[in-house]
Amino acid sequence: MTATPGTPPARRPLAEPIVVVPCAASKLNVAAEAGKLYTGSYHKACRAAAEALTAAGGTVLVLSARYGFLLLDQVIEPYELRMGDPGSITAEQLRIQARALGVEGAKNVTVLAGAAYTAAARSVWSAATAPLTGLGIGRQLQTLVRLRTKAAVSST
């Protein structure tokens, strides 16, 4: 069954840290798991850092402009929508989803995304860490590599 916009995903206990990454404009053109659907290079760089940060335990969530918080194995249909566009996920829908996932009160949340996606995630977790905030794309990519490298070194 595929996700529908604003519908909380099935409840699963999710481990912290929670690392939120953005969706991407580049997608497969068929329904797929969220972890496979997005093909954009920025998304992939954010995912690589998120996976390194959660390698010892934790949860990666994709923040989709249409569907909201997605687990990597949730099957969704491709779509064309950016955060903030008419019809995109709302802050209230994100809070409902976070509650359904049991992470509304999570204390260890990192958002690896641009400004609009970070603002959306912070509507749920106001104190979320957002290391890419205020950086241009080149510096964001450098920061993602640094985070990935640091996490890989500390896990060995």
Side-chain angles (χ1 to χ4, degrees):
M1 185 166 99
T2 59
T4 56
T7 302
R11 185 178 178 101
R12 297 182 189 182
L14 301 179
E16 290 186 44
I18 305 294
V19 182
V20 179
V21 299
C23 61
S26 297
K27 302 172 192 65
L28 299 176
N29 60 4
V30 295
E33 292 179 346
K36 297 176 183 168
L37 182 76
Y38 303 104
T39 60
S41 59
Y42 182 76
H43 170 82
K44 287 182 178 182
C46 291
R47 272 282 304 284
E51 288 172 3
L53 291 169
T54 59
T59 304
V60 176
L61 292 176
V62 176
L63 177 47
S64 160
R66 178 171 180 169
Y67 297 106
F69 296 123
L70 297 168
L71 298 165
L72 298 178
D73 63 354
Q74 276 185 266
V75 176
I76 57 171
E77 296 286 335
Y79 59 92
E80 295 300 323
L81 196 64
R82 291 179 184 261
M83 191 63 70
D85 284 354
S88 65
I89 196 80
T90 67
E92 181 57 27
Q93 289 169 319
L94 291 174
R95 286 189 288 274
I96 290 167
Q97 288 180 341
R99 196 172 314 120
L101 288 166
V103 296
E104 184 178 40
K107 301 294 183 209
N108 189 352
V109 179
T110 299
V111 183
L112 301 178
Y117 288 81
T118 297
R122 281 187 166 161
S123 72
V124 176
W125 305 287
S126 60
T129 301
L132 306 182
T133 299
L135 303 178
I137 189 68
R139 297 277 314 275
Q140 287 184 35
L141 294 171
Q142 290 172 348
T143 300
L144 290 168
V145 169
R146 189 171 54 252
L147 289 169
R148 188 177 74 226
T149 303
K150 182 179 177 186
V153 168
S154 64
S155 70
T156 56

